[in-house]
Amino acid sequence: SSVRASTDAPPTACRWRILATVIVVESVGGLMYAFGIYSARLKSKFSLSQQQLDAISISSSLGSNVGVHWGLLTDAAGPSAALCAALVAGGGGWLLLWSALGGVSGLRGLPWAYLCAFALLQGTAMCGSDVASMTTIAKAFPQNRGRATGLVKAMVGLSAALAANVYVAAEPALRLYVLLVAGAYVGACAFGAARLRAGDILAAGARERPADDAPRLAAILARVVGLAVFYLALQLANAFA
């Protein structure tokens, strides 16, 4: 049956194509970890107390750590549907924050409780895109799922470094940074939703070659680690400049 799956599978059922797509999605999967880089500006902009700022941060963490509903949605409707839902939640959360920062005049100066709701939306969206990505990659690489999921999760941590560098480039325009983050998240989720089909993922898993795939995954991981080291050096250079 595996031979038949390999022969009959469509061209889109390529595990490397799927891996590349998931890497793009997870490249924005850790944006909630970048909260600390702009939290002081947020605190000043809305005249928040430290307790209120902490509540906003906790709201984001709460959303990113409650994911049972995302697992149920992914199992029932596939990763594309989960990514579409995450796109709506995350895009909405970031765009509402952008509006509150002055992007829409009627939403300026909202009470801090609204910022908690926006952060909750952002956090739950991160969880949704992560769940869709992890289940996808585990099915596409069933014999190398540890290596493949580890590689993809590395992108979650790297995404915070990417966001930090975008913030440095956009500073002091916090509103521009938030708008860029919203666009990046919506774009990544839309890209993943368009390319990740449940049938292709299962067919790709049936075509896996564990012995050949392991060194290729290790080589890709080495590149990701190299990129992380580069961004770390960039951050240190900016810190001591």
Side-chain angles (χ1 to χ4, degrees):
S1 60
S2 61
V3 173
R4 187 179 301 113
S6 178
T7 303
D8 298 340
T12 51
C14 171
R15 57 195 178 283
W16 302 108
R17 179 181 182 273
I18 291 169
L19 176 63
T21 301
V22 171
I23 285 176
V24 170
V25 173
E26 288 290 56
S27 68
V28 293
L31 293 175
M32 67 275 190
Y33 299 130
F35 179 76
I37 65 175
Y38 64 88
S39 59
R41 294 282 310 283
L42 204 64
K43 183 179 181 180
S44 174
K45 177 74 175 179
F46 291 95
S47 301
L48 303 171
S49 68
Q50 186 59 46
Q51 290 76 16
Q52 291 170 336
L53 188 67
D54 290 343
I56 295 170
S57 178
I58 290 170
S59 297
S60 177
S61 298
L62 178 64
S64 66
N65 284 285
V66 179
V68 174
H69 55 298
W70 289 113
L72 293 173
L73 177 59
T74 302
D75 287 344
S80 290
L83 286 171
C84 285
L87 182 157
V88 172
W94 287 108
L95 288 174
L96 285 168
L97 177 58
W98 171 78
S99 300
L101 287 166
V104 176
S105 58
L107 293 179
R108 291 179 183 174
L110 288 174
W112 68 275
Y114 284 86
L115 301 181
C116 290
F118 303 162
L120 183 67
L121 280 174
Q122 295 161 13
T124 195
M126 300 294 117
C127 184
S129 56
D130 187 55
V131 169
S133 297
M134 288 297 99
T135 56
T136 293
I137 214 65
K139 290 176 182 177
F141 291 87
Q143 301 301 315
N144 277 300
R145 65 172 65 91
R147 292 182 180 90
T149 55
L151 166 61
V152 170
K153 288 298 286 186
M155 290 303 302
V156 175
L158 185 59
S159 66
L162 293 170
N165 282 281
V166 171
Y167 179 78
V168 169
E171 197 175 15
L174 178 58
R175 197 169 64 193
L176 173 61
Y177 167 77
V178 170
L179 187 61
L180 289 173
V181 166
Y185 187 77
V186 168
C189 286
F191 180 74
R195 289 170 61 95
L196 296 178
R197 304 183 185 93
D200 291 346
I201 294 163
L202 293 175
R207 301 166 67 184
E208 185 185 22
R209 298 175 180 175
D212 295 335
D213 290 352
R216 293 183 68 179
L217 289 168
I220 297 171
L221 179 59
R223 290 178 174 85
V224 172
V225 171
L227 188 60
V229 171
F230 169 75
Y231 277 115
L232 176 60
L234 200 60
Q235 291 282 347
L236 291 174
N238 289 330
F240 291 103

